[in-house]
């Protein structure tokens, strides 16, 4: 993903590559790579949370629930990628300085924002709740 994004940025910087084909490339690569990167990041957070707390008595989730959450993240991200490819419109303007105009479908933007909000909220809960339980246990041991 990182290499793909570096190529996209490099092509964007050099004006010689501006063409109608580049517009199509930006539609297929830029937003889908970003969506895939975020999904990967969220999955890493879920995995790290599990590796930090595992099956400890402080965890608030089972492995099955974490797998369900991971599948939801993957499906939602794939849905966003498909929406982007199907609904995003690219307009090529070769007059003057060549330009690519990207028109992203509003429901896609809403879906992407909702994914971020929901994923951040759930991932925060998955990490903070075990820490709170662990802190309470430490406080009990210090007082008692």
């Amino acid at each position: 993903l990182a290499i793909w994004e570096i190529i996209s940025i490099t092509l964007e910087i050099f004006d010689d590559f501006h063409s109608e084909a580049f517009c199509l490339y930006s539609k297929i690569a830029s937003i889908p790579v970003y969506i895939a990167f975020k999904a990967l990041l969220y999955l890493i957070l879920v995995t790290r949370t599990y590796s930090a707390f595992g099956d400890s008595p402080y965890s608030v989730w089972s492995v099955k629930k974490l797998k369900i959450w991971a599948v939801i993240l993957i499906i939602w991200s794939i849905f966003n990628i498909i929406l982007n490819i199907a609904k995003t419109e690219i307009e090529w303007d070769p007059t003057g300085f060549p330009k690519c105009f990207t028109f992203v479908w509003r429901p896609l933007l809403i879906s992407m924002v909702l994914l971020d909000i929901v994923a951040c909220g759930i991932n925060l809960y998955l990490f903070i709740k075990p820490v709170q339980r662990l802190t309470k246990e430490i406080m009990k041991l210090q007082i008692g």
Side-chain angles (χ1 to χ4, degrees):
L1 290 176
I3 292 170
W4 192 275
E5 199 60 34
I6 290 169
I7 292 170
S8 296
I9 291 169
T10 305
L11 290 176
E12 184 67 36
I13 291 171
F14 297 110
D15 298 334
D16 298 339
F17 289 102
H18 283 243
S19 66
E20 197 166 357
F22 176 74
C23 279
L24 182 61
Y25 172 80
S26 68
K27 173 184 178 178
I28 294 172
S30 59
I31 296 175
V33 168
Y34 173 71
I35 293 168
F37 172 76
K38 285 191 321 177
L40 182 64
L41 179 66
Y42 293 143
L43 292 173
I44 289 170
L45 290 172
V46 170
T47 304
R48 294 294 295 155
T49 302
Y50 178 73
S51 67
F53 298 106
D55 293 324
S56 74
Y58 308 110
S59 66
V60 293
W61 27 256
S62 66
V63 176
K64 182 180 178 183
K65 288 180 183 177
L66 281 179
K67 287 180 181 177
I68 291 171
W69 172 233
V71 167
I72 289 171
L73 283 172
I74 292 168
I75 290 171
W76 197 344
S77 296
I78 290 172
F79 175 73
N80 284 345
I81 290 170
I82 291 169
L83 275 181
N84 174 68
I85 292 172
K87 294 291 189 174
T88 299
E89 295 180 19
I90 300 286
E91 183 179 309
W92 171 247
D93 180 14
T95 60
F97 183 75
K99 295 178 195 144
C100 254
F101 297 103
T102 304
F103 304 99
V104 180
W105 194 44
R106 193 173 308 255
L108 169 63
L109 291 176
I110 292 169
S111 179
M112 289 172 60
V113 169
L114 283 175
L115 174 61
D116 288 343
I117 291 169
V118 170
C120 287
I122 290 176
N123 286 340
L124 277 171
Y125 175 78
L126 290 175
F127 184 76
I128 290 174
K129 195 63 177 175
V131 171
Q132 286 178 334
R133 287 183 175 179
L134 184 60
T135 304
K136 282 183 184 178
E137 189 68 29
I138 291 172
M139 296 298 282
K140 284 181 187 176
L141 291 173
Q142 286 179 346
I143 293 172

